[in-house]
């Protein structure tokens, strides 16, 4: 491409065609003031502060929208320009409250900075002023619209990046303002309270409430870390004053580049919640009594040792945690294997993506997301199946919406009319649990219509003939009968995906949480390989992992059958490697999964459990059964930050810390290992989880001593080939995607580029079976479960966050208007939902998001826990339970008087 | 209307819905259809009720906030129902000098609504305008198509009584 030469303030510069004066200046480090410009947003040229002089030109040009031309000579700070900027600033300030002294933005305000830089001292007192109001209607941020300078960055952020389109310019002249339609409170609009508008506002018009009155910007310490909520792995900045978190702002991580969702941005106040556990607790005579660390640790170590000696190592089990760091999970599995002597170690990945790990390992040789998050917008057709991305992985949801806005095609497979379904080119609204049939149907059409990538199939895969044979019967008409999706839509979707140059599949628990979860995953993998959509940028099979570190907990071997890096415990050479490194003989027999440890606790085969930061009393299927099992244990130790539903059943409770109080790493869903950094000291006497594990090990006669988490990571990388090149120095600035085998390896955002991890990709034919429990006369509805944007997992953190709780204070069951009408249920009625496992009382939300005959309950709410109802039927291979489909019935609760 | 979206959750009478569907059917599903669709909707319904705007927003796949932004930007669009009679009180320079403020206040007091609003019985909409081109008669007022000049606040009451009578007589 031809280069352009130009001069800015006597500096000779080169530029690419299409760059603006501002782009070139910024690249060269020449500062031009801007108020409406933002790298990621469209350029509107509204504020005019960026005007520059072009030699030979009469008028002034806005640098942000004026393209450079060859031979151009630009002046950025001539007298004429400075005078113009000063006049402009005076104009802005003439309609701006003189509030710098008390404004929260003071010290971090562009208007203030420029007023200083251009020597604007006073603003005219009289003259017409706008009549905009202060909006304090939500608990997340204040909208002080009197201070708004109408730069429009928030409007563009909300529309172009977040895709919420909640706000826009309304009215005009002195009435002009930024608002939701009808100036209604944001909570009545499509606002998702992501706070990304707050992050870009250059002045004090949008202010997070948490920081009001907490101090000046320059008094805050800023610590960059990784979000503790979901697997997207957003980098965020914690702003701290006096050992307290006062504000959060988005960081510049590869996945989020300056954006967050409501949970990461405004959902961290659980850190300072008064219910945080600050001292160890020991249960004496049925009541918890506070104890010293020595007493609690000694007692725990003694009980675990006693049970080990009396009943053998396999009577013990460990629940590791997808919330904890890699270092902690590494230590937990090491503790189970080396100290307790059992492979009974597992974590909640069993409940979300065990089928992914098994299925993708079989098909590709590696059970993780094949491509990186920024590649979302490189795809030209995106297929989202069983992922309510905008609620469960919001920041990835933004990217998918951006792709659609750019004209990319979107196919959504989901029983519910989720937000993405409304934007989709095709929405396949299948019956819950009929995924295999539908995916097979798509593959059938692709083969029948000659859309399969034959060259790819021949050179990179094996087993195609068997697959083809098995798919023969899955004609669209046959599949329509099984799934209730119209045959024409199946064809339309198959053609869209089949013809795409870059087709990318994103899936989540709607695929995995079925008794046929592994088959579902295999069917997804078949579809992608069939069309040559694995191994290139912008394509792939992308399981979106739920928890912040569920990928890492798997990688660290917090699984019953593998050491760190998925190295099998049954392989003698691998066991020998770990035996040598850890200096102790290691058990050979694979251990139990958490879905097996629960029944084993009930039967008495397991006598003691060490549960670290997991809450099976809300997260696991059939909670009544879980309770009985945990109560049957001889000894239960729970390590957590709150007295969760599970911790209440414990004999000893050990107070761990939140992510803000410790160092470590999380591995996000895109396999990116990122730093977690300590911002405040542990609350009360709580201790970082890694220290607690080391203390227990030491008391059980095993030396586990590390100076800090960085030293633990060094041990991890020495034993885990895919983490071999990872250390804290290398990931200091930006995380790396594994596999990263050596210290010079740049990491691998896109997997399987040069061939699959297992060599050839393997097609595995799968047959449609359907859910384990189908509706019948007694339980005529299908119940599905899932998530809500404002809460996370079992709610122990999100429900202790003021704003999130304000937004969604209680559980609800979604029910279609027609089904509701049949049952005389109105929106807001209390209803009873019953399944073969139990019953709950919950509020009805009548909505056409769910189709007739299907009800949906988010599982975050312990008092109306969806998992009292769910079916613990397991996938035979992955042992993942069927959360997404069971039979249920619903009835209106009579009013209290009538019940009497 | 070529967009396929679910419009069933919006509260709108069947009659208004079919009016809107007829209008939308004439335009492609794109943002540039917004202004003509709003113009026709207002032509048919007399103003732009909120549910109608929500309906148009969904049907054209234009964000509701944008639809409202456009409708509130142009003075040709009315977000409130309009009265049978439109009273325009001039606040231009000439009228201003000759007491237009008091005239406006008299109307507001008499009608019980602030400028820009409509009386509850939907009889009158009170608006302000800048110069109606009859400065010689300042301060001036237009009621529907009639112009009245050289008014005092006392005249206002008389004028309103007359209009009411005339309305009854019809
Ligand atoms: S919080 Fe997010 S969704 Fe709400 S207005 Fe701001 S950018 Fe838009
Ligand atoms: S609120 Fe802030 S970002 Fe939005 S237009 Fe006003 S000044 Fe700009
Ligand atoms: S998208 Fe996930 S990682 Fe990012 S801020 Fe939200 S919860 Fe945190
Ligand atoms: S930054 Fe160029 S006009 Fe605002
Ligand atoms: S100023 Fe009132 S008519 Fe001209």
């Amino acid at each position: 491409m031809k280069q352009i030469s130009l001069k800015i303030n006597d500096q000779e510069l080169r530029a690419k065609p299409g760059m603006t004066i501002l782009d070139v200046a910024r690249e060269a480090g020449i500062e031009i003031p801007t108020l409406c410009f933002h790298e990621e947003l469209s350029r509107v040229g509204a504020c005019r502060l960026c005007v520059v002089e072009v030699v030979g030109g009469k008028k002034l040009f806005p640098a942000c929208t004026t393209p450079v031309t060859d031979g151009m000579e630009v002046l950025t700070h001539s007298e004429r320009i400075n005078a113009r900027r000063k006049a402009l600033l005076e104009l802005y300030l003439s309609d701006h409250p003189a509030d710098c002294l008390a404004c929260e933005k003071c010290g971090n305000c562009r208007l203030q900075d420029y007023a200083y830089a251009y020597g604007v001292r006073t603003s005219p007192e009289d003259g017409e002023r706008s009549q905009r109001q202060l909006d304090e209607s939500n608990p997340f941020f204040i909208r002080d619209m009197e201070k708004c300078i109408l730069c429009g960055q928030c409007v563009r952020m909300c529309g172009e990046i977040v895709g919420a389109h909640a706000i826009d310019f309304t009215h005009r002249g002195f009435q002009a303002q930024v608002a939701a339609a009808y100036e209604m409170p944001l909570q009545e609009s499509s606002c998702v309270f992501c706070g990304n508008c707050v992050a870009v506002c250059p002045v004090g018009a949008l202010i997070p409430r948490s920081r009001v009155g907490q101090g000046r910007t320059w008094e805050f310490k800023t610590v960059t870390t990784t979000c503790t909520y979901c697997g997207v792995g957003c980098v965020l900045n914690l702003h701290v004053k006096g050992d307290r978190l006062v504000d959060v702002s988005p960081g510049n991580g590869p996945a989020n580049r300056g954006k967050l969702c409501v949970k990461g941005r405004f959902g961290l106040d659980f850190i300072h919640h008064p219910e945080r556990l600050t001292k160890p607790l020991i249960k004496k005579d049925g009541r918890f009594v506070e104890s010293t660390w020595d007493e609690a640790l000694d007692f725990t170590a003694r009980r675990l040792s006693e049970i080990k000696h009396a009943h053998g190592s396999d009577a013990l089990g460990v629940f590791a945690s997808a919330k904890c760091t890699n270092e902690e999970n590494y230590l937990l599995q090491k503790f189970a294997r080396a100290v307790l002597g059992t492979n009974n170690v597992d974590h909640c990945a069993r409940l979300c993506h065990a089928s992914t790990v098994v299925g993708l390992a079989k098909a590709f040789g590696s059970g993780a997301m094949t491509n990186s998050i920024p590649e979302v917008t490189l795809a030209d057709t995106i297929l989202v199946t069983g992922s309510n991305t905008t609620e469960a992985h919001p920041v990835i949801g933004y990217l998918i919406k951006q792709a659609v806005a750019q004209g990319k095609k979107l196919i959504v497979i989901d029983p519910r009319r989720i937000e993405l379904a409304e934007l989709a080119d095709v929405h396949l609204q299948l019956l819950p649990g009929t995924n295999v049939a539908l995916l097979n149907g798509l593959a059938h059409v692709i083969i029948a219509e000659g859309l399969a990538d034959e060259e790819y199939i021949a050179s990179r895969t094996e087993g195609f003939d068997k697959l083809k044979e098995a798919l023969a019967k899955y004609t669209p008409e046959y599949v329509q009968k099984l799934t209730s999706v119209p045959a024409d839509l199946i064809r339309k979707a198959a053609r869209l995906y089949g013809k795409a140059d870059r087709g990318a599949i994103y899936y989540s628990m709607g695929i995995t949480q079925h008794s046929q979860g592994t088959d579902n995953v295999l069917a997804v993998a078949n579809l992608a390989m069939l069309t040559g959509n694995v191994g290139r940028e912008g394509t792939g099979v992308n399981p979106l992992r739920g928890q912040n570190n569920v990928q890492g907990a798997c990688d660290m071997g917090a699984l019953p059958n593998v050491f760190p890096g998925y190295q099998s415990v049954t392989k003698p050479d691998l066991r020998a490697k770990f035996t040598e490194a850890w200096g102790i003989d290691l058990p050979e027999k694979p251990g139990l999964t958490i879905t097996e440890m629960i029944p084993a606790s009930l039967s008495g085969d397991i006598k003691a459990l060490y549960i670290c930061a997991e809450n099976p009393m809300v997260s696991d299927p059939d909670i009544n059964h879980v309770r009985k099992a945990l109560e049957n244990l001889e000894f239960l130790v729970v390590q957590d930050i709150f007295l969760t539903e599970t911790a209440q059943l414990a004999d000893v409770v050990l107070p761990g810390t939140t992510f803000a109080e410790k160092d470590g790493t999380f591995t996000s869903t895109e396999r990116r290992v990122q730093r977690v950094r300590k911002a405040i000291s542990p609350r009360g006497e709580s201790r970082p989880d890694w220290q607690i594990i080391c203390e227990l090990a030491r008391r059980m006669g095993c030396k586990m001593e590390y100076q800090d988490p960085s030293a633990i990571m060094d041990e991890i990388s020495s034993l885990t080939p895919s983490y071999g090149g990872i250390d804290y120095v290398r990931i200091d600035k930006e995380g790396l995607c594994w596999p990263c085998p050596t210290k010079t390896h740049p990491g691998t955002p896109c997997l399987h580029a040069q061939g699959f991890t297992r060599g050839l990709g393997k097609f595995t034919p799968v047959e449609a079976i359907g859910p384990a429990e189908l509706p019948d006369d007694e339980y005529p509805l299908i119940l599905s479960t899932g998530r809500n944007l404002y809460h996370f997992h079992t709610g122990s953190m999100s429900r202790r966050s003021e704003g999130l709780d304000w937004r969604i204070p209680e559980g609800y069951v979604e029910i279609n208007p027609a089904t509701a009408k049949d049952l005389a249920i109105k929106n807001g009625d209390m209803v009873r939902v019953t399944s073969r496992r139990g019953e709950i009382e919950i509020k009805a939300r009548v909505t056409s998001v769910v189709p007739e005959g299907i009800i949906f309950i988010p599982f975050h709410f312990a008092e109306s826990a969806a998992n009292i109802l769910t079916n613990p039927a397991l996938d035979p291979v992955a042992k993942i339970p069927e959360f997404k489909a069971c039979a249920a019935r619903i009835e209106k609760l009579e009013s209290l008087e009538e019940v009497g | 209307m070529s967009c396929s979206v679910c419009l069933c959750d919006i509260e709108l009478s069947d009659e208004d819905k079919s009016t809107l569907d007829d209008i939308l059917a004439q335009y492609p599903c794109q943002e540039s259809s917004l202004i003509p669709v709003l113009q026709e909707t207002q032509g048919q319904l007399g103003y732009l009720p909120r549910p109608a705007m929500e309906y148009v927003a969904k049907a054209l796949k234009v964000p509701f906030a944008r639809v409202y932004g456009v409708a509130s930007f142009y003075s040709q669009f009315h977000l409130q129902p309009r009265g049978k009679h439109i009273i325009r009180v001039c606040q231009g320079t000439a009228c201003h000098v000759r007491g237009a403020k008091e005239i406006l206040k008299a109307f507001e007091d008499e009608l019980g609504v602030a400028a820009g609003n409509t009386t509850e019985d939907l009889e009158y909409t009170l608006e302000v305008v800048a110069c109606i081109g009859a400065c010689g008669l300042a301060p001036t007022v237009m009621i529907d198509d009639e112009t009245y000049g050289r008014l005092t606040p006392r005249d206002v009451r008389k004028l309103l009584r007359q209009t009411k009578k005339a309305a009854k007589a019809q």
Side-chain angles (χ1 to χ4, degrees):
Chain A
M1 211 188 291
K2 203 182 154 286
Q3 284 241 320
I4 290 176
S5 317
L6 72 157
K7 226 159 115 181
I8 301 184
N9 306 340
D10 294 331
Q11 217 172 315
E12 300 278 355
L13 295 165
R14 290 184 171 282
K16 288 195 229 47
M19 287 176 89
T20 64
I21 299 173
L22 185 66
D23 294 334
V24 181
R26 282 163 63 99
E27 224 178 67
I30 300 165
E31 159 102 28
I32 296 176
T34 63
L35 284 171
C36 68
F37 166 85
H38 187 283
E39 300 91 321
E40 274 194 83
L41 304 175
S42 63
R43 302 180 178 200
V44 289
C47 75
R48 297 285 147 174
L49 208 62
C50 67
V51 284
V52 292
E53 224 177 313
V54 174
V55 175
K58 253 211 185 126
K59 51 178 196 137
L60 299 179
F61 293 86
C64 67
T65 54
T66 308
V68 289
T69 52
D70 209 32
M72 201 180 223
E73 281 182 48
V74 180
L75 297 174
T76 64
H77 285 80
S78 68
E79 230 167 85
R80 186 175 160 211
I81 298 164
N82 290 351
R84 171 67 69 88
R85 287 191 189 135
K86 187 170 176 187
L88 260 173
L89 289 165
E90 276 167 354
L91 204 61
Y92 276 116
L93 287 166
S94 72
D95 189 16
H96 196 87
D99 193 30
C100 287
L101 295 182
C103 182
E104 292 292 340
K105 197 77 173 181
C106 178
N108 188 23
C109 171
R110 300 249 286 279
L111 191 57
Q112 193 187 47
D113 292 349
Y114 294 146
Y116 175 79
Y118 289 86
V120 181
R121 291 178 173 270
T122 48
S123 56
E125 282 295 317
D126 41 353
E128 202 174 343
R129 291 281 297 269
S130 60
Q131 300 299 317
R132 295 185 294 253
Q133 308 275 316
L134 187 67
D135 168 9
E136 296 186 295
S137 58
N138 77 71
F140 301 108
F141 52 90
I142 293 170
R143 301 176 67 238
D144 188 353
M145 290 293 107
E146 218 190 331
K147 290 181 183 155
C148 172
I149 55 165
L150 300 174
C151 72
Q153 287 198 58
C154 57
V155 173
R156 280 171 284 144
M157 174 54 80
C158 186
E160 295 168 11
I161 303 291
V162 179
H165 300 283
I167 48 174
D168 212 320
F169 290 107
T170 67
H171 302 282
R172 63 152 141 197
F174 278 99
Q175 265 81 48
Q177 62 171 320
V178 167
Y182 287 90
E183 287 81 35
M184 61 183 161
L186 287 180
Q187 58 270 30
E188 288 164 30
S189 75
S190 52
C191 173
V192 291
F193 292 109
C194 63
N196 293 319
C197 51
V198 178
V200 292
C201 181
V203 298
L206 301 173
I207 295 292
R209 271 184 190 258
S210 66
R211 59 151 296 155
V212 172
Q214 298 289 333
R216 294 305 200 181
T217 305
W218 57 82
E219 298 174 82
F220 299 164
K221 178 180 85 172
T222 296
V223 178
T224 301
T225 187
T226 305
C227 179
T228 186
Y229 275 109
C230 87
V232 174
C234 296
V235 170
L236 43 82
N237 300 315
L238 302 180
H239 305 286
V240 173
K241 188 186 161 194
D243 213 23
R244 276 188 81 82
L245 182 63
V246 291
D247 195 7
V248 178
S249 65
N252 186 25
N256 65 316
R257 295 283 175 232
K259 275 86 63 186
L260 291 176
C261 83
V262 63
K263 293 184 287 280
R265 172 85 206 209
F266 297 116
L268 299 181
D269 35 350
F270 69 89
I271 293 171
H272 293 297
H273 197 280
E275 283 166 23
R276 275 287 301 275
L277 293 172
T278 53
K279 277 192 160 109
L281 303 173
I282 299 180
K283 205 176 260 167
K284 291 180 178 155
D285 305 323
R287 282 187 44 241
F288 281 121
V289 184
E290 288 187 351
S291 83
T292 63
W293 271 106
D294 275 337
E295 188 186 351
L297 290 168
D298 285 342
F299 179 61
T300 304
R302 198 181 75 231
R303 290 294 287 134
L304 290 176
S305 303
E306 281 168 8
I307 293 170
K308 178 177 165 181
H309 289 126
H311 304 282
S313 291
D314 287 339
L316 301 165
V318 175
F319 284 24
S321 172
K323 271 261 134 344
C324 287
T325 62
N326 283 321
E327 292 73 7
E328 288 160 348
N329 278 288
Y330 173 81
L331 293 185
L332 280 166
Q333 60 87 35
K334 182 173 175 183
F335 181 82
R337 296 187 159 112
V339 182
L340 301 181
T342 177
N343 281 316
N344 291 342
V345 54
D346 200 13
H347 70 285
C348 71
R350 188 65 49 200
L351 308 175
C352 60
H353 275 287
S355 31
T356 293
V357 175
V358 175
L360 293 189
K362 185 165 175 190
F364 305 153
S366 172
M369 197 161 156
T370 58
N371 293 63
S372 68
I373 293 170
E375 290 172 57
V376 170
T377 49
L378 298 180
D380 41 46
T381 297
I382 296 175
L383 192 167
V384 176
T385 170
S387 156
N388 189 1
T389 325
T390 55
E391 300 214 39
H393 297 88
V395 170
I396 296 179
Y398 306 159
L399 291 173
I400 295 178
K401 287 183 171 183
Q402 285 164 32
V404 173
Q406 290 163 14
K408 310 294 179 61
K409 299 290 178 225
L410 176 65
I411 306 164
V412 170
I413 304 181
D414 203 294
R416 297 165 71 220
R417 190 163 48 79
I418 54 172
E419 189 187 350
L420 285 181
E422 305 235 10
L423 301 175
D425 295 278
V426 200
H427 176 203
L428 307 177
Q429 210 163 1
L430 80 177
L431 290 173
T434 61
N435 309 62
V436 168
L438 187 57
L439 293 164
N440 279 353
L442 295 176
H444 173 100
V445 176
I446 285 172
I447 295 175
E449 302 198 355
L451 299 173
D453 185 339
E454 278 164 25
E455 200 214 293
Y456 184 92
I457 294 170
S459 64
R460 300 218 27 198
T461 67
E462 60 183 340
F464 178 66
D465 292 339
K466 280 231 174 75
L467 177 77
K468 193 172 167 187
E469 217 171 277
L471 288 176
K473 73 173 193 233
Y474 289 89
T475 61
E477 283 68 25
Y478 174 64
V479 173
Q480 171 170 353
K481 274 190 221 130
L482 301 177
T483 60
S484 94
V485 177
D488 283 349
L489 283 188
I490 298 173
R491 288 202 179 86
K492 186 174 173 197
R495 286 173 196 147
L496 267 183
Y497 180 73
K499 287 182 185 160
D501 176 36
R502 291 166 193 262
I505 303 179
Y506 292 85
Y507 76 82
S508 199
M509 266 87 102
I511 284 293
T512 59
Q513 287 179 336
H514 290 279
S515 55
Q516 219 188 336
T518 307
D519 290 350
N520 288 342
V521 172
L522 288 167
V524 169
N526 288 343
L527 192 61
M529 289 189 291
L530 193 58
T531 48
N533 276 319
V534 186
R536 282 178 301 136
E537 271 201 325
T539 67
V541 173
N542 297 292
L544 302 179
R545 312 288 307 250
Q547 293 272 14
N548 57 320
N549 197 33
V550 66
Q551 183 64 53
C554 290
D555 298 345
M556 291 302 105
L559 296 169
N561 57 339
V562 289
F563 291 116
Y566 307 95
Q567 305 177 78
S568 172
V569 296
T570 56
K571 290 233 173 80
D573 52 330
L574 295 175
R575 216 170 43 251
K577 168 168 125 184
F578 283 90
T579 298
E580 190 188 317
W582 296 345
I584 191 163
D585 276 341
L586 296 168
E588 164 184 3
K589 188 178 105 206
L592 299 178
T593 63
I594 63 178
T595 45
E596 290 167 332
M597 281 191 255
I598 294 290
S601 303
L602 193 59
S603 69
D605 293 334
I606 294 263
K607 303 273 185 226
L609 285 178
Y610 174 15
I611 299 182
C612 183
E614 295 238 332
N615 192 6
M617 279 297 296
V618 181
S619 64
D620 290 24
D622 196 356
I623 292 170
N624 291 330
H625 178 252
V626 176
R627 170 185 295 277
K628 276 186 222 140
L630 296 182
E631 281 172 351
N632 194 43
L633 289 169
E634 274 181 30
F635 186 64
L636 173 63
V637 48
V638 173
Q639 183 166 317
D640 213 314
I641 57 171
F642 292 111
L643 197 61
T644 61
E645 292 73 12
T646 304
Q648 286 166 23
L649 302 178
D651 298 289
V652 178
V653 180
L654 304 174
T657 68
T658 68
F659 80 120
E661 296 145 67
K662 61 190 176 191
D663 283 300
T665 56
F666 292 153
T667 304
S668 70
T669 186
E670 60 172 345
R671 295 172 279 105
R672 195 178 295 276
V673 187
Q674 307 190 106
R675 270 306 306 276
V676 173
R677 292 186 183 85
K678 177 174 164 179
I680 54 174
S681 59
R683 303 291 94 180
E685 290 175 27
S686 66
R687 290 186 183 176
D689 299 80
W690 64 272
Q691 289 178 5
I692 304 174
I693 305 160
C694 290
E695 279 293 325
L696 274 180
R698 187 172 64 79
R699 285 175 160 81
M700 292 183 72
C702 176
K703 193 170 147 261
M704 245 195 223
E705 274 169 20
Y706 303 92
Q707 207 191 344
D708 51 28
S710 168
I712 308 175
M713 180 50 83
D714 292 341
E715 182 173 316
I716 294 169
S717 52
S718 72
L719 291 165
T720 314
S722 52
Y723 279 64
I726 288 175
D727 61 50
Y728 279 21
V729 176
R730 284 197 74 194
I731 60 170
D732 187 50
K733 287 247 148 46
E734 190 157 301
L736 289 167
C737 293
W738 66 254
C740 175
T742 64
K743 293 281 179 205
T744 51
H745 193 283
T748 316
C750 171
L751 286 182
H752 315 303
Q754 323 292 339
F756 285 94
T757 308
R758 74 181 287 279
L760 291 176
K762 185 170 168 57
F763 286 110
T764 310
V766 284
E767 294 289 347
I769 301 172
E773 192 178 72
L774 288 170
D776 53 22
D777 287 347
E778 203 182 339
Y779 299 100
L781 303 172
I782 304 178
L783 163 68
S784 193
T785 67
R787 292 170 192 244
N788 177 291
L789 168 65
Y790 295 93
H791 286 290
F792 200 77
H793 220 243
T794 68
S796 52
M797 301 182 333
S798 61
R799 296 193 74 195
R800 286 184 176 88
S801 164
E802 204 187 315
L804 300 178
D805 181 60
W806 167 84
R807 199 72 183 95
I808 305 285
E810 59 185 357
Y812 55 87
V813 52
E814 288 181 353
I815 177 168
N816 182 273
T819 317
K821 205 167 157 210
D822 288 347
L823 299 165
I825 292 168
K826 289 192 303 297
N827 197 29
D829 280 352
M830 286 301 289
V831 297
R832 178 184 296 121
V833 186
T834 314
S835 80
R836 290 197 171 77
R837 270 72 51 194
E839 59 177 49
I840 60 170
E841 290 176 5
I842 193 168
K843 214 176 237 176
R845 193 188 261 196
V846 178
T847 164
S848 55
V849 166
V850 283
E852 278 179 55
I854 295 175
I855 56 174
F856 170 86
I857 306 179
F859 76 101
H860 317 294
F861 306 91
E863 69 282 7
S864 52
N867 283 327
I868 288 186
L869 308 169
T870 45
N871 188 357
L874 296 185
D875 177 283
V877 199
K879 307 284 160 71
I880 191 169
E882 184 140 73
F883 287 110
K884 292 295 181 195
C886 77
R889 104 178 144 240
I890 187 166
E891 62 224 312
K892 191 174 160 167
L893 279 180
E894 299 306 323
S895 62
L896 287 176
E897 298 91 317
E898 284 168 71
V899 174
Chain B
M1 178 188 49
S2 58
C3 296
S4 57
V5 284
C6 175
L7 296 167
C8 48
D9 292 342
I10 297 171
E11 285 172 29
L12 205 61
S13 74
D14 288 346
E15 200 188 319
D16 286 354
K17 249 184 215 174
S18 80
T19 308
L20 285 173
D21 286 340
D22 289 345
I23 297 171
L24 287 161
Q26 307 162 35
Y27 296 93
C29 170
Q30 58 197 34
E31 189 156 342
S32 60
S33 305
L34 180 59
I35 289 180
V37 166
L38 289 180
Q39 280 166 335
E40 277 204 46
T41 305
Q42 178 161 297
Q44 299 272 333
L45 305 181
Y47 76 112
L48 294 173
R50 179 168 169 164
M53 299 235 285
E54 281 180 64
Y55 197 82
V56 168
K58 276 223 170 176
L60 293 178
K61 291 199 175 180
V62 178
F64 186 32
R66 173 89 36 84
V67 174
Y68 176 77
V70 167
S72 64
F73 181 84
Y74 293 105
S75 55
Q76 56 165 305
F77 291 123
H78 305 297
L79 303 175
Q80 301 295 334
R82 307 263 293 157
K84 243 190 244 149
H85 304 285
I86 312 295
I87 302 174
R88 297 188 175 89
V89 185
C90 180
Q91 300 287 303
T93 318
C95 294
H96 180 79
V97 176
R98 313 196 72 182
K101 267 217 173 104
E102 284 75 47
I103 301 296
L104 179 62
K105 175 131 194 326
F107 272 107
E108 291 182 329
D109 290 348
E110 271 308 298
L111 296 171
V113 294
N117 291 294
T118 301
T119 55
E120 248 173 55
D121 58 6
L122 295 186
E123 282 295 316
Y124 299 100
T125 295
L126 182 63
E127 289 179 347
V128 296
V129 288
C131 190
I132 57 176
C135 309
L137 297 175
T140 62
V141 164
M142 272 183 89
I143 301 185
D144 298 330
D145 296 327
E146 266 331 295
T147 308
Y148 303 86
R150 303 246 165 81
L151 298 173
T152 63
R154 283 187 49 182
D155 297 335
V156 167
R157 213 164 308 146
K158 243 194 270 167
L159 206 54
L160 274 174
R161 228 173 290 142
Q162 275 172 21
T163 339
K164 274 185 192 153
K165 236 194 231 149
K168 262 200 197 129
Q170 273 183 6

